[in-house]
Each structure stands twice: as structure tokens, then as C-alpha cells.
């Protein structure tokens, strides 16, 4: 398993991350041992602050030679040039072409890796128009882990082969998109127990399918259709009208229009598998829009994730009809 993780992170870094980093940063990160980097989830750059490599639920700093250091005074400090050169590489010198993503506070690069940004917000008519004077970047690494949803599948597919409406609940950085991706693949492919079903994916942030020129670069199964870079609410209705999916999947519900689209899909007889940021059910019940879906039991199953003891840990699987806990513990997917 360790060798596989080392090979995976080496491939991700060389194919997707290093091409968008300046040589100086590449030199430092590549000097860190794969035993450290195999758990890498984020690379954080902040002006005048140490370069941080986030490894699951901990982080490390390195000096200019790429040696791991505990004393922050010895760590490499990111500068304005590091930020600017990284932005130029990520946007291929056309940052203006990413204006829609900039106002959302992120960019998505090849491989489905999301780059969070902070800086000065430009407000127009009460809404964020764009960001300028970028002062921080958070490179969040996406992984394709086939089989990571094996433990969940038996709880969300009935003996008759119907996919139950499922909400994956997770704090940030706990693997929800990785698990969602594998659920889509398995539902689409089928098995010797259940038949494969047509799945429609609305990939608003280009993270699930990691599309390049509209074509998925990860395996989502042979019966999956993807709407890339499309708002969730609009995309769900488009897929239902045009592609006849049995299941619609999307990531990170939150807005009122997202909730309306979920209700429309369920009323049309289409199963929904999706995710939401959150710690637990009680927190979500008090949240606008999402709380309504929980109160009215639109979902059959709740999957709660954690990063303890490691990213991708399944804390609970809950039947919404009676709040019965079907599984509880620390099952690593």
C-alpha cells in the first residue's frame, strides 16, 4: 500500500502540480522524501510566510534546500514573485480568462486540483466581481482512488438495484470528492450483484471529472455523462431533460437554487448522490436550505466522514427514516 501511495503522489506531482510551480518551489518540494509526501493533501503559499506542506491533519515546513525543519525561522518564506509566477503558470498567462472562477475564490487546474486564492476582493453591486493583489494560494491535491467507496456501496444500493438518495457530510479535507468520484464509477459500471446505471454528473468546479477540453481525465464509468463547469442547479435540470439519468451526482450543495434542483430531481424519480460541508447532522439542521432537505428526509442515507485517524475515514452511515446508525466506527475507505 505504501509503495502504491508513493507512486500515486509522485505521478500527481510530476504530471499536474510541478508544471504550475516555479522551479525554485519544485526543487524544494521534490527534495522532500516520498515517505512524507505520500500523505500530501495541500501546498500552501502565503506571502512572507513559510511554505507549508499539509499532510492530512498535520503540516510541515522546509528550508530552501528542501529539508524538513521545525524552527520556522529556518523555513523558506514565500514571496510575491512565487505567487505571481505560480498564477501565471496556472492560468497560462491569461488570468483574465478565469474571471468567473476568480470571483468564487478558486481556480481548477488539469487533474481536478483546486487552487484556493486570497487577496483583495473587488465588490460591485454588493457582489464579489474578482480578486486582485493575490496574497495566498492553497493547492488542494485531488486523487483518484478506485475502490475507496467499496465499504459504502452495500448501504446505498438496494437488493433491487435502486440507488438510495445519499448525502455525504464532511468537513473540508476529509476526502468527500474522492469518495463521490468512486461512488459514481461503481454505480455506472455495476457489478455481479447490481447492474450499472446511467449517471449524470454536474461538475461545477471541474473537480469530480477533472475534465480537460470537456473530456474526463478520470474513470467515472461507461454510463456516465458529465456537464463540466456548469452551475449545479442549472446542470441537474439539463441532464434530467436531455440524458435520462437514473442517478444525478454533484458536489457541495449550499445555495437555495441547489436545493430547489435537488427537489426537482427527486420529484422526477431520479436518485441523487451529493455532498455538503459540515461536521454532523445537528449542524446541518440549523443551516438554511440544506436543513430543509434533512427535515423533510429527502435523503435515505447520510455518510459522515472524518480525517481521524486519517483522511477518508467513515465515521457513521445513517438511515434517515429512523436515524438508525447502520455503521459506526473508524472504517477507512
Amino acid at each position: 500500500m505504501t509503495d502504491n501511495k508513493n507512486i500515486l503522489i509522485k505521478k500527481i506531482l510530476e504530471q499536474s502540480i510541478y508544471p504550475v510551480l516555479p522551479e525554485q518551489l519544485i526543487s524544494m518540494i521534490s527534495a522532500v522524501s516520498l515517505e512524507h509526501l505520500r500523505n500530501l493533501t495541500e501546498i500552501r503559499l502565503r506571502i512572507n510566510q513559510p511554505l507549508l506542506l499539509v499532510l492530512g491533519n498535520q503540516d510541515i515546513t522546509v528550508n530552501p534546500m528542501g529539508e524538513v525543519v521545525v524552527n520556522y525561522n529556518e523555513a523558506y518564506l514565500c514571496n510575491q514573485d512565487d505567487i505571481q509566477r505560480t498564477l501565471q503558470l496556472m492560468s497560462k498567462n491569461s488570468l483574465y480568462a478565469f474571471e468567473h472562477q476568480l470571483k468564487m475564490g478558486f481556480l481548477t487546474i488539469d487533474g481536478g486540483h483546486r487552487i484556493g486564492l486570497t487577496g483583495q476582493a473587488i465588490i460591485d453591486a454588493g457582489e464579489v466581481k474578482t480578486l486582485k493583489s493575490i496574497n495566498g494560494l492553497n493547492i488542494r491535491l485531488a486523487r483518484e482512488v478506485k475502490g475507496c467507496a467499496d465499504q459504502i456501496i452495500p448501504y446505498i444500493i438496494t437488493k433491487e438495484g435502486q440507488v438510495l438518495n445519499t448525502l455525504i457530510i464532511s468537513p473540508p479535507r476529509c476526502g468527500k470528492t474522492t469518495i463521490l468520484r468512486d461512488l459514481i464509477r461503481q454505480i455506472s459500471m455495476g457489478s455481479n450483484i447490481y447492474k450499472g446505471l446511467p449517471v449524470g454528473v454536474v461538475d461545477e468546479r471541474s473537480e469530480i471529472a477533472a475534465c480537460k477540453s470537456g473530456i474526463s481525465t478520470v474513470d467515472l464509468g461507461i454510463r456516465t455523462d458529465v456537464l463540466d463547469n456548469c452551475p449545479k442547479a442549472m446542470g441537474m435540470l439539463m441532464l434530467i431533460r436531455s440524458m435520462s439519468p437514473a442517478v444525478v451526482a454533484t458536489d457541495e450543495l449550499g445555495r437555495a437554487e441547489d436545493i430547489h434542483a435537488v427537489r426537482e430531481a427527486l420529484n422526477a424519480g431520479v436518485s441523487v448522490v451529493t455532498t455538503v460541508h459540515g461536521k454532523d447532522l445537528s449542524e446541518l439542521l440549523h443551516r438554511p436550505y440544506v436543513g430543509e432537505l434533512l427535515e423533510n428526509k429527502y435523503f435515505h442515507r447520510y455518510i459522515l466522514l472524518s480525517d481521524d485517524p486519517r483522511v477518508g475515514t467513515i465515521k457513521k452511515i445513517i438511515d434517515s427514516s429512523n436515524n438508525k446508525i447502520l455503521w459506526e466506527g473508524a472504517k477507512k475507505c
Side-chain angles (χ1 to χ4, degrees), residues 174-194:
C174 289
K176 67 182 182 306
T177 303
T178 303
I179 289 172
L180 176 64
R181 185 182 295 127
D182 196 53
L183 282 174
I184 293 166
R185 181 188 66 84
Q186 294 202 42
I187 293 168
S188 174
M189 292 301 297
S191 71
N192 58 355
I193 300 175
Y194 59 90

Side-chain angles (χ1 to χ4, degrees), residues 84-133:
Q84 289 302 318
R85 291 174 64 195
T86 301
L87 283 171
Q88 290 170 3
L89 290 166
M90 289 176 179
S91 65
K92 298 178 174 62
N93 294 309
S94 299
L95 196 58
Y96 69 90
F98 292 85
E99 185 173 337
H100 173 70
Q101 292 191 52
L102 278 176
K103 72 179 183 180
M104 301 292 289
F106 68 89
L107 301 176
T108 304
I109 62 173
D110 291 351
H113 311 286
R114 188 197 293 185
I115 317 301
L117 306 100
T118 55
Q120 183 180 0
I122 304 302
I123 308 297
D124 183 23
E127 295 185 356
V128 176
K129 183 178 180 181
T130 189
L131 290 177
K132 72 173 188 177
S133 303

Side-chain angles (χ1 to χ4, degrees), residues 32-103:
V32 180
S33 73
L34 285 177
E35 287 305 305
H36 275 112
L37 294 180
R38 67 192 184 94
N39 292 318
L40 184 65
T41 56
E42 296 179 353
I43 301 171
R44 289 183 172 262
L45 286 69
R46 302 179 177 95
I47 295 176
N48 298 328
Q49 298 297 331
L51 169 67
L52 281 181
L53 305 180
V54 181
L55 315 173
N57 52 15
Q58 62 177 329
D59 56 45
I60 59 173
T61 58
V62 298
N63 64 20
M65 283 72 71
E67 299 167 336
V68 177
V69 293
V70 177
N71 188 341
Y72 294 158
N73 293 326
E74 300 175 7
Y76 175 79
L77 299 183
C78 297
N79 54 51
Q80 181 73 56
D81 188 58
D82 292 328
I83 299 289
Q84 289 302 318
R85 291 174 64 195
T86 301
L87 283 171
Q88 290 170 3
L89 290 166
M90 289 176 179
S91 65
K92 298 178 174 62
N93 294 309
S94 299
L95 196 58
Y96 69 90
F98 292 85
E99 185 173 337
H100 173 70
Q101 292 191 52
L102 278 176
K103 72 179 183 180

Side-chain angles (χ1 to χ4, degrees), residues 15 92 109-112 206 209-218 228:
Q15 293 186 358
K92 298 178 174 62
I109 62 173
D110 291 351
S206 301
C211 285
K212 185 174 184 179
S213 300
I215 301 173
S216 176
T217 61
V218 298
D228 182 49

Side-chain angles (χ1 to χ4, degrees), residues 80-304:
Q80 181 73 56
D81 188 58
D82 292 328
I83 299 289
Q84 289 302 318
R85 291 174 64 195
T86 301
L87 283 171
Q88 290 170 3
L89 290 166
M90 289 176 179
S91 65
K92 298 178 174 62
N93 294 309
S94 299
L95 196 58
Y96 69 90
F98 292 85
E99 185 173 337
H100 173 70
Q101 292 191 52
L102 278 176
K103 72 179 183 180
M104 301 292 289
F106 68 89
L107 301 176
T108 304
I109 62 173
D110 291 351
H113 311 286
R114 188 197 293 185
I115 317 301
L117 306 100
T118 55
Q120 183 180 0
I122 304 302
I123 308 297
D124 183 23
E127 295 185 356
V128 176
K129 183 178 180 181
T130 189
L131 290 177
K132 72 173 188 177
S133 303
I134 305 300
N135 57 39
L137 300 175
N138 178 21
I139 305 172
R140 297 179 59 184
L141 277 63
R143 284 174 168 81
E144 180 183 12
V145 185
K146 290 186 177 181
C148 70
D150 287 354
Q151 309 283 6
I152 297 173
I153 283 288
Y155 293 96
I156 70 167
I157 298 183
T158 68
K159 293 179 180 178
E160 295 75 28
Q162 178 189 357
V163 175
L164 299 175
N165 302 320
T166 301
L167 182 64
I168 301 170
I169 302 166
S170 166
R173 299 188 338 200
C174 289
K176 67 182 182 306
T177 303
T178 303
I179 289 172
L180 176 64
R181 185 182 295 127
D182 196 53
L183 282 174
I184 293 166
R185 181 188 66 84
Q186 294 202 42
I187 293 168
S188 174
M189 292 301 297
S191 71
N192 58 355
I193 300 175
Y194 59 90
K195 69 176 184 178
L197 297 172
V199 182
V201 175
V202 187
D203 199 1
E204 183 170 4
R205 297 176 177 85
S206 301
E207 285 188 293
I208 303 172
C211 285
K212 185 174 184 179
S213 300
I215 301 173
S216 176
T217 61
V218 298
D219 183 4
L220 293 180
I222 64 173
R223 300 176 180 86
T224 299
D225 300 299
V226 179
L227 268 177
D228 182 49
N229 197 30
C230 180
K232 286 188 285 292
M234 185 186 304
M236 281 189 272
L237 299 180
M238 287 172 63
L239 284 169
I240 291 169
R241 292 165 182 160
S242 62
M243 303 306 293
S244 303
V247 181
V248 168
T250 189
D251 207 3
E252 299 183 10
L253 294 181
R255 294 170 297 190
E257 55 266 34
D258 299 342
I259 308 309
H260 174 73
V262 167
R263 288 200 304 263
E264 289 291 312
L266 299 179
N267 289 335
V270 177
S271 298
V272 174
V273 179
T274 187
T275 73
V276 66
H277 278 131
K279 183 176 66 174
D280 52 37
L281 289 174
S282 60
E283 176 190 319
L284 293 181
L285 280 168
H286 293 92
R287 190 178 300 174
Y289 313 126
V290 176
E292 176 190 340
L293 293 180
L294 271 62
E295 287 178 359
N296 292 288
K297 301 190 183 299
Y298 280 99
F299 293 99
H300 301 110
R301 294 287 185 269
Y302 303 129
I303 312 296
L304 275 63

